[in-house]
Amino acid sequence: MYYDPFVLPFTLGLNILLIYLIIKYARWIRTFSTEDRQTIRRNIFTLKTWKAGKEVFLESLVHHKIFRINPFLGYMHLCFGLGWFLLIVIGKIESLVYHTSIFNPPYFAIFFRYFHPAKETFPGSNVFAFFMDLILLMILSGLLLAWLKRLYSKALGLKRTTRHRPFDLLILTVLWLIFPLRFLAESFTSGLRGGGSFLTHTAGDFFNSFLPIEQLSYPAWWAYSSALGLFFLLLPFSRYMHIPTEIVYIFLKNWEVRQGKHFSGISQFQLYSCSRCGICIDRCQLGSSLGMTDTQPVYFLKKLRHGKEHSILVDNCLMCGRCEAACPVDLRLNALRLTQRQEDIRITKSTYEYIRPAAAKTTAKVAYFAGCMGHLTPGVIRSMQSIFHKAGVDYTFIDEGGSICCGRPMMLSGNHHTAAIIQEKNKASLEASGAELLVTSCPICYKTFKEDYRLDMQVLHHTEYLDILLREGALHPHCSDITTVFHNPCELGRGCQVYTAPEHILQTISHRIATAYEGKDALCCGGSLANLHISPQQRLQLAEDALNAYAAYRPDVLVTACPLCKKTFSQPGSSLPVQDIAELVDGQC
Amino acid sequence: MMNFWGFSIAEARVIDYDKNDKSLAEMLAEEMPTTRLCIGCGGCSATCTAGNLTEFNIRKLQMLLKRGETKDLRDQLHKCMLCGKCLLVCPRGVDTRKMILFLFRQLSEQDHNS
Ligand code: SF4
Ligand code: SF4
Ligand code: SF4
Ligand code: SF4
């Protein structure tokens, strides 16, 4: 029996942690709705589980998404994630080869160098020793980068690094101590008894030349075990809770458990999966344009998790999704924030009685819906009408006489119940038209039509529709050397994943300039109705900064595809002309 | 009321601005300074999605509120759909949509307390 009292701190810590996690997760899973449970049951024995496993490897261990942000930062995370994992797995295999029993206690592999008499070799013992040293070296190099990041975060590609609580700094210190202590313990033992490889063996000899390692070796093992045990005990109360939770979340996500409108079990998993990596901080224009540095998801989730006051943070977010698109853990950050907005509008049955179904049944297959915002940019409507005419499309203009709101702005204020009533009214008048295809000019309408309305007709945003018309040859663009930059509206791009259609259109009818704000990296115009906190003046600042960022590429026209974006961009009084993509297409065909 | 000739005389309607309860208006001005900038141009009402379909005038409600007449506000405000168009057209930078949300929250709080 291999045993020594110094393994106790580690063993106790590990067991307490495991029991705590099992109880906590079970309680969250118990709150899952029946549908969620059914979805899990349906998906658990499918390829999705395999996919989740792969994602766990790539995200939780390799951290490949962080590599895209900065290779050094990625390497640092890889060292901790994959490095620690390999240390455990290879250590376990090594201990199995030596001992051959599967049932050797966990601590045996962790403290293998202590228990293994170095002179006794076993198959591949040198190779194992070499690899274990290599991995330890890798982790220690990652640690060095982590220190560097604390001192000087810009070196690792982050303008700002997350501000932490004192408690988080305590556990950070414990984590940082673990590997140097392991290094010391193994080196001292190696210096004393031999064993180890290029790193620990050399270091052991070196330490032996000037340190009383005979007295130091045993306490070093105690210290190493205690650091591990303390880390496990502190973990549930710190941000490192993300390590185990993220793994469970990745499985739940792949099994298609969705974040709904209300705070639920899956929200808890997300809350605790945030690693506080701080990548969301630099993505947020509220920070870069307005100097608001406390509202980004990392801080919002932290406040939520620790039950701190967060009412302003709940309101202060454009829900532009820029942070969500970059979050390496793939958290549903907008939906999470929305769960915290309260229903504070009490309406009665008669409140919206004034809304009457407007559209009458027509024979046209295509219905055009400008949206209430669309009526603020009549130029876009005129262009769409002209395009329908040029392409010879028989269409009906559903909201020609003015439209009611689609309900999404109401939803974004947290009033789901009220929004649902508006949506019902709107749905009735849309479906009354009897059309097969609905084309809308407003991405806000588009998103909610697709996600919430369950319409019995196909819905397209005019960008997608114009792309189809161009591809089918229904429109005949003339050659043009006009240069364009595209501003993809938040609700269209990140919101509805429409990326290729506008790109293709602009390539066809203009000379499109690629910018640093393509696809998922598009900026927010600042007009977002989802922000319930900032003032019109602050919106203006956001719009101005975004305009300047685009104007730096010196296009002839800044093209967008949203009446709200167009209207917002027209306010700062910039000299850069802003057009909707429909207006551009109309002008070029 | 005497109705001798087939006509009646309307009860005198006196609004005593000094006696009106202006607490909500004061709170609004305090919390949201941009609401003081309104010049009553009516741009918000002209574009208003709800106002184009029914009797609902957001400019007028603002004016009444400032005078301390909150009855209409209570009766009407919930007709707003929070579409945000008023915010986009206001030439003075009044944060109308946030003002409406603020008033919703205040009203529902008052209802809650009473
Ligand atoms: S929300 Fe995502 S990006 Fe932001 S700190 Fe958490 S894990 Fe990182
Ligand atoms: S959604 Fe946009 S505004 Fe909100 S925190 Fe993320 S980046 Fe900032
Ligand atoms: S548009 Fe602005 S300034 Fe004009 S009445 Fe409305 S709130 Fe007042
Ligand atoms: S937000 Fe309300 S008041 Fe303003 S335009 Fe829309 S419906 Fe009218």
Side-chain angles (χ1 to χ4, degrees):
Chain A
M1 184 66 190
Y2 298 98
Y3 173 77
D4 190 282
F6 84 79
V7 304
L8 279 178
F10 162 78
T11 311
L12 271 176
L14 183 65
N15 285 324
I16 293 175
L17 173 66
L18 286 178
I19 294 169
Y20 177 87
L21 289 182
I22 290 171
I23 295 176
K24 191 119 187 150
Y25 293 164
R27 275 166 75 186
W28 291 343
I29 291 177
R30 247 204 330 229
T31 64
F32 278 17
S33 67
T34 343
E35 293 107 80
D36 282 345
R37 283 158 201 251
Q38 277 167 356
T39 338
I40 295 180
R41 249 176 265 137
R42 210 175 42 242
N43 290 329
I44 197 165
F45 296 113
T46 63
L47 273 180
K48 289 179 178 131
T49 306
W50 165 250
K51 240 185 83 204
K54 203 173 116 197
E55 199 181 324
V56 167
F57 180 77
L58 283 174
E59 297 304 334
S60 304
L61 301 180
V62 182
H63 294 96
H64 80 293
K65 273 192 200 149
I66 303 182
F67 268 93
R68 260 182 262 149
I69 291 166
N70 180 294
F72 284 113
L73 193 68
Y75 176 75
M76 178 191 115
H77 283 84
L78 172 119
C79 289
F80 285 120
L82 188 65
W84 204 349
F85 176 74
L86 287 179
L87 209 58
I88 294 170
V89 172
I90 299 188
K92 185 75 189 173
I93 299 174
E94 181 186 27
S95 76
L96 289 180
V97 172
Y98 172 67
H99 190 70
T100 62
S101 160
I102 285 253
F103 297 107
N104 65 30
Y107 65 75
F108 180 67
I110 302 288
F111 306 117
F112 185 72
R113 287 272 170 278
Y114 178 85
F115 292 115
H116 170 238
K119 284 183 197 69
E120 203 178 297
T121 54
F122 54 92
S125 54
N126 282 333
V127 181
F128 276 121
F130 172 77
F131 274 110
M132 293 299 277
D133 264 15
L134 190 66
I135 299 165
L136 188 60
L137 183 66
M138 173 177 142
I139 299 179
L140 290 174
S141 69
L143 198 61
L144 204 70
L145 285 178
W147 272 327
L148 211 72
K149 174 176 172 244
R150 278 282 123 202
L151 291 176
Y152 187 62
S153 60
K154 261 199 201 118
L156 297 199
L158 290 174
K159 284 204 197 101
R160 291 183 205 93
T161 184
T162 322
R163 298 185 299 269
H164 292 300
R165 297 180 300 159
F167 177 78
D168 285 318
L169 291 178
L170 169 72
I171 186 164
L172 191 70
T173 316
V174 176
L175 176 67
W176 283 0
L177 276 177
I178 290 176
F179 298 103
L181 283 174
R182 178 179 175 124
F183 167 69
L184 287 182
E186 291 195 340
S187 300
F188 291 160
T189 303
S190 166
L192 214 57
R193 298 199 310 233
S197 187
F198 69 95
L199 180 70
T200 45
H201 190 80
T202 322
D205 285 347
F206 171 68
F207 288 135
N208 199 12
S209 60
F210 65 96
L211 283 176
I213 54 173
E214 212 166 331
Q215 280 91 50
L216 287 176
S217 142
Y218 188 59
W221 284 104
W222 262 100
Y224 173 42
S225 168
S226 307
L228 276 171
L230 189 60
F231 180 71
F232 291 146
L233 285 181
L234 295 179
L235 181 137
F237 312 102
S238 75
R239 68 195 181 103
Y240 297 109
M241 185 68 177
H242 82 89
I243 300 170
T245 315
E246 186 185 343
I247 296 174
V248 186
Y249 171 62
I250 289 177
F251 278 96
L252 292 171
K253 188 182 75 183
N254 277 284
W255 292 333
E256 290 171 3
V257 181
R258 296 274 175 261
Q259 172 61 55
K261 293 190 168 85
H262 302 288
F263 195 85
S264 60
I266 190 72
S267 325
Q268 293 279 16
F269 276 105
Q270 296 194 68
L271 208 52
Y272 285 77
S273 291
C274 168
S275 61
R276 297 191 194 151
C277 65
I279 287 171
C280 47
I281 302 177
D282 284 347
R283 297 279 293 182
C284 182
Q285 289 164 256
L286 292 177
S288 56
S289 279
L290 303 178
M292 296 172 158
T293 52
D294 61 347
T295 196
Q296 289 71 23
V298 57
Y299 302 118
F300 170 68
L301 296 181
K302 187 158 87 170
K303 290 233 157 106
L304 193 58
R305 177 173 158 187
H306 296 294
K308 299 261 170 59
E309 218 290 313
H310 59 267
S311 58
I312 292 181
L313 304 198
V314 171
D315 284 354
N316 192 12
C317 170
L318 300 158
M319 299 209 181
C320 64
R322 277 175 55 81
C323 50
E324 192 171 296
C327 173
V329 191
D330 200 14
L331 301 175
R332 301 273 70 88
L333 298 169
N334 283 348
L336 269 175
R337 185 138 6 196
L338 197 49
T339 61
Q340 298 305 302
R341 295 192 174 172
Q342 307 281 325
E343 303 239 5
D344 38 27
I345 300 182
R346 314 241 181 287
I347 56 162
T348 60
K349 259 210 160 86
S350 63
T351 305
Y352 289 122
E353 247 164 28
Y354 68 83
I355 305 174
R356 285 176 221 295
K361 201 165 172 58
T362 63
T363 49
K365 291 216 162 72
V366 180
Y368 175 61
F369 184 83
C372 69
M373 281 286 173
H375 283 279
L376 275 182
T377 51
V380 180
I381 298 179
R382 274 199 301 277
S383 298
M384 281 307 289
Q385 286 175 311
S386 149
I387 290 168
F388 281 126
H389 182 72
K390 283 178 190 164
V393 178
D394 180 26
Y395 76 103
T396 172
F397 188 170
I398 293 192
D399 58 340
E400 191 161 15
S403 53
I404 66 166
C405 181
C406 64
R408 184 159 165 81
M410 181 62 84
M411 215 162 88
L412 289 173
S413 75
N415 292 284
H416 297 290
H417 178 65
T418 313
I421 295 176
I422 300 179
Q423 293 181 333
E424 229 169 77
K425 298 263 182 194
N426 221 339
K427 185 178 171 188
S429 75
L430 291 176
E431 288 186 338
S433 72
E436 285 168 17
L437 172 66
L438 180 67
V439 180
T440 174
S441 280
C442 178
I444 307 172
C445 298
Y446 179 56
K447 187 166 168 70
T448 185
F449 286 171
K450 271 181 60 163
E451 284 178 3
D452 310 304
Y453 273 56
R454 294 166 206 270
L455 289 165
D456 59 6
M457 49 176 125
Q458 196 196 352
V459 191
L460 291 178
H461 182 262
H462 72 225
T463 315
E464 296 168 293
Y465 184 66
L466 294 177
D467 188 36
I468 294 174
L469 289 182
L470 280 170
R471 281 177 197 268
E472 284 177 350
L475 293 172
H476 310 286
H478 17 86
C479 262
S480 146
D481 50 8
I482 184 170
T483 55
T484 54
V485 156
F486 185 59
H487 161 72
N488 202 336
C490 302
E491 298 274 57
L492 190 67
R494 287 178 295 266
C496 296
Q497 318 298 320
V498 177
Y499 296 117
T500 51
E503 215 169 276
H504 177 248
I505 295 177
L506 290 186
Q507 262 156 12
T508 314
I509 62 168
S510 74
H511 181 70
R512 191 179 79 91
I513 305 175
T515 66
Y517 314 107
E518 295 293 317
K520 287 193 164 124
D521 300 325
L523 296 168
C524 174
C525 70
S528 166
L529 294 174
N531 193 310
L532 310 176
H533 180 74
I534 55 173
S535 70
Q537 287 71 25
Q538 288 170 315
R539 287 178 192 276
L540 204 62
Q541 183 67 50
L542 284 168
E544 225 171 82
D545 289 352
L547 261 178
N548 288 339
Y550 289 125
Y553 292 89
R554 302 182 171 280
D556 294 331
V557 192
L558 175 64
V559 183
T560 185
C562 168
L564 179 55
C565 293
K566 188 175 177 219
K567 200 81 193 149
T568 310
F569 277 148
S570 69
Q571 281 169 348
S574 136
S575 56
L576 178 63
V578 184
Q579 273 196 330
D580 191 282
I581 199 160
E583 295 172 299
L584 192 75
V585 170
D586 185 35
Q588 302 294 315
C589 291
Chain B
M1 182 70 54
M2 188 171 64
N3 186 2
F4 192 74
W5 307 104
F7 298 97
S8 67
I9 300 169
E11 253 176 272
R13 185 167 182 266
V14 177
I15 306 170
D16 186 344
Y17 291 141
D18 292 333
K19 286 203 182 126
N20 279 357
D21 176 13
K22 295 209 197 78
S23 59
L24 190 56
E26 276 156 16
M27 203 193 311
L28 180 69
E30 179 77 19
E31 290 280 323
M32 296 196 46
T34 62
T35 56
R36 302 177 202 220
L37 299 173
C38 174
I39 50 170
C41 70
C44 45
S45 292
T47 194
C48 178
T49 306
N52 281 324
L53 297 169
T54 184
E55 178 70 40
F56 174 67
N57 185 335
I58 188 66
R59 177 201 60 80
K60 189 170 156 196
L61 290 183
Q62 288 191 68
M63 182 192 69
L64 292 175
L65 168 68
K66 282 175 189 160
R67 293 180 183 165
E69 294 179 85
T70 51
K71 184 180 174 306
D72 277 8
L73 194 72
R74 281 185 178 283
D75 295 347
Q76 306 261 353
L77 193 64
H78 49 253
K79 289 184 184 167
C80 164
M81 291 184 260
L82 285 183
C83 71
K85 279 167 79 182
C86 46
L87 170 68
L88 283 170
V89 300
C90 177
R92 298 284 291 155
V94 176
D95 204 346
T96 47
R97 184 167 179 263
K98 188 176 166 191
M99 165 192 81
I100 295 167
L101 257 172
F102 174 81
L103 292 172
F104 273 139
R105 287 175 183 172
Q106 289 305 320
L107 291 181
S108 82
E109 216 165 84
Q110 284 181 5
D111 291 347
H112 196 74
N113 293 341
S114 64

